[in-house]
Structures are given as C-alpha cells and as structure tokens.
Amino acid sequence: MSRTARLFQLMQAIRQSAPPVRAEHLAGEMQVSLRTIYRDIDSLRAVIDGEAGFGYTLIEDATLPPLGFDNEELEALVLGLREVEQTGDPSLSDAAGRALSKLKGRLPPSQSHRLQHAVLSARRFRERVKPGVDPRALRQASWDEFSVAFAYVNKEGFATKRSVDPLGITALDEVQCLLAHCHLRQDYRAFRLDRMRDLVVSSDSFRPKRVPMLREFIERIRNDPFASANTRNPFV
C-alpha cells in the first residue's frame, strides 16, 4: 500500500471510530506499527487533533476533499441505491436516483465508468404493498421526535385508533413497518404501513428519547423476534 493510500485509510479509520481513538486501536486495525501510526499522524496534524495517551479525532474541514471509495465499497453503494430505487416509496426512489447521479459526477473517470456499468444490480418482481400513509411525513415525524396518531387495522381486521412515538421504519420483504412505542399498549409495537390510515402528526415531543428507545426495541427484537415485554407479538 502506498503512503498516500495509507494516510487516507488512517483518516477513514479515525472517522469511523468513536472519538477519541487510541493509537493502539489504529495500529491494530491498519496492521501497522505504533511508530508508523505516530509518524502518519504527525503528517496529518492539519486535520487530526489529539495526543499520545489520550487519543485522536478527525477535524472535519470543508476544504478537505471527501475520501474516495474502493471498488467493493462502490459496488455496495450502487447495489444499495438501486435496491432503494426498486423498493422505496416514490420520494425515496427519486432520492436514490439523484444520489447515484451525484455520486457519478463526483467520482474520477475510471470509477464513474465502473459505477455506470456496475456488476451488481437489484430487481424486484413482486411489488411491495403500498403504504396507507405518507412515509415521508412519518420519517420526518420520527426525526423530529413528534408523536403521531393514526387509524390501524390489525391482521384480524380489528380497527383501532393509535397514538405512538415513532422510532424508525424498517423494510421487510414486501412491507414496511413503523417501529414505535404505543401509548395504548404502553409497550413497543411494529405497525405495517399498509394497514395505517389517516396519519396526524402532533406537536407533542418525546425528544430526546427516540435513539435510546429504538436501541432498546431493536435489542428486544434481536433477543426474541416474536415477543415483546408482555409476550405479545410486537409485529401487529
């Protein structure tokens, strides 16, 4: 590996790690000696802050060019964006197409050609069930941490009114589900977007609880994907 490539890899390693990152961690990740890490950090003092024994952070500089992608990373980006083009709601699908165009315009010619003629692609032959509410409004409410209300019909056809704290949206094979904390059940639940109607975004904020709540819900699903705290299926 050239020294220039190693310096870029070092910046990427610092960017991806929780700051401050220790030199020992960087040496292990990059499989080089501590002496090499310290020497490379000295060469990058304009964009790296910190000191030995404490750790290092990357100073984000608007004049610093973005890091490039290796060929595997580029294929992964193309596959992910083309999957979103195929499966996302209309606004996300359009955004994925725009992102691909922007990415192509910012890459060097050789990689731009590789992006345009990528080996990997994505096709879906079974159409995803259309959501009953606007996913964009639901995503924004999740980001803003505002509670929402909606009408919901479960798999047995029973209709209820729900008020929830929206935590995130996950895409399954054919449907999208809202991960949320349900005020009615006082527990975590996942609601299929195609069974939701009449979405209303309230002004009731649950900030700053979204991230820890989402982590807790995901951990619960990971430990037991078919049960919540009260042993009921969270995917209703």
Side-chain angles (χ1 to χ4, degrees):
M1 180 187 298
S2 69
R3 187 163 186 268
T4 299
R6 193 177 69 243
L7 293 177
F8 276 114
Q9 185 180 348
L10 175 61
M11 289 191 290
Q12 181 73 349
I14 296 175
R15 178 179 279 120
Q16 291 178 335
S17 302
V21 55
R22 303 293 294 271
E24 292 82 359
H25 173 79
L26 295 170
E29 183 168 324
M30 298 180 60
Q31 298 184 339
V32 297
S33 67
L34 270 175
R35 182 180 178 183
T36 297
I37 291 294
Y38 288 135
R39 186 172 63 245
D40 288 348
I41 285 174
D42 284 339
S43 300
L44 295 169
R45 272 302 178 184
V47 294
I48 292 179
D49 188 26
E51 59 185 27
F54 173 72
Y56 300 94
T57 58
L58 189 66
I59 303 170
E60 296 291 350
D61 187 344
T63 64
L64 185 67
L67 299 183
F69 303 104
D70 64 33
N71 291 334
E72 288 288 304
E73 291 169 342
L74 193 61
E75 289 283 356
L77 285 169
V78 172
L79 178 62
L81 288 170
R82 286 183 173 165
E83 173 73 11
V84 174
E85 279 190 305
Q86 290 284 314
T87 64
D89 59 78
S91 63
L92 271 186
S93 180
D94 290 344
R98 295 196 306 272
L100 271 172
S101 297
K102 290 180 180 179
L103 186 59
K104 179 183 176 183
R106 291 172 180 246
L107 290 172
S110 61
Q111 286 202 313
S112 178
H113 177 80
R114 190 180 184 95
L115 182 148
Q116 186 173 359
H117 303 286
V119 173
L120 299 176
S121 187
R123 293 289 185 271
R124 182 173 289 272
F125 298 99
R126 298 179 65 178
E127 186 175 352
R128 177 164 286 172
V129 181
K130 293 182 179 179
V133 295
D134 182 2
R136 181 165 46 184
L138 200 52
R139 289 195 299 270
Q140 192 61 49
S142 299
W143 272 116
D144 294 338
E145 296 179 73
F146 285 132
S147 298
V148 301
F150 51 86
Y152 192 73
V153 179
N154 67 12
K155 59 184 178 182
E156 286 82 23
F158 184 71
T160 58
K161 294 285 188 180
R162 299 296 183 108
S163 174
V164 307
D165 297 331
L167 308 178
I169 298 174
T170 186
L172 304 180
D173 288 342
E174 296 180 15
V175 299
Q176 291 178 298
C177 286
L178 171 68
L179 304 182
H181 186 269
C182 178
H183 299 169
L184 176 64
R185 303 300 185 194
Q186 286 298 298
D187 199 2
Y188 296 113
R189 290 290 186 271
F191 300 93
R192 287 177 45 159
L193 268 62
D194 60 304
R195 295 176 179 169
M196 298 169 60
R197 298 290 186 275
D198 305 323
L199 177 69
V200 176
V201 179
S202 77
S203 59
D204 297 332
S205 174
F206 60 99
R207 188 182 301 272
K209 299 178 181 177
R210 187 182 76 87
V211 172
M213 291 170 72
L214 181 59
R215 286 175 179 164
E216 182 181 356
F217 191 8
I218 290 175
E219 184 64 23
R220 185 181 299 180
I221 294 172
R222 183 180 294 116
N223 292 334
D224 188 348
F226 301 108
S228 66
N230 60 6
T231 71
R232 292 191 56 190
N233 187 346
F235 291 89
V236 294

